[in-house]
Amino acid sequence: MQPHSTPSHTDVLLAQSQKQTVTEEVRPEETLGTTNVGNRLLQKLGWKCGESLGTNKGGGDGANNLKSDWEKIEALAQAGGRSR
């Protein structure tokens, strides 16, 4: 008979991370009513339910904008915070 061993801390964390939690699905059209302040503000700014947010309403090249913004940040950091 093998001696009983206690699970390691890693084993416990791994077991906890593998647990699935069932959550309720929340749909924006059900929760963003006229009493939601954020929804009202966005609609005053012209947003309509189902649209994307931002200047590029179709989505699309957001990753490219993020990359170019990050490159600008890196260039500024290398220049000591002064723009070239």
Side-chain angles (χ1 to χ4, degrees):
M1 192 163 123
Q2 292 183 341
H4 179 70
S5 64
T6 58
S8 69
H9 182 66
T10 305
D11 291 335
V12 171
L13 290 175
L14 182 60
Q16 288 175 346
S17 70
Q18 292 173 339
K19 290 181 183 176
Q20 294 183 355
T21 304
V22 178
T23 58
E24 179 183 348
E25 181 178 339
V26 178
R27 303 176 82 42
E29 58 271 11
E30 296 169 0
T31 59
L32 295 179
T34 56
T35 58
N36 183 291
V37 175
N39 185 33
R40 290 191 340 230
L41 288 171
L42 286 170
Q43 287 184 3
K44 282 184 180 182
L45 294 171
W47 176 81
K48 292 175 182 52
C49 187
E51 288 184 348
S52 297
L53 295 175
T55 57
N56 183 7
K57 295 203 190 270
D61 66 346
N64 292 334
N65 292 339
L66 181 61
K67 182 179 177 186
S68 67
D69 288 348
W70 185 254
E71 289 170 348
K72 289 177 189 174
I73 291 169
E74 286 182 329
L76 281 170
Q78 289 174 353
R82 296 178 299 278
S83 46
R84 298 181 206 185

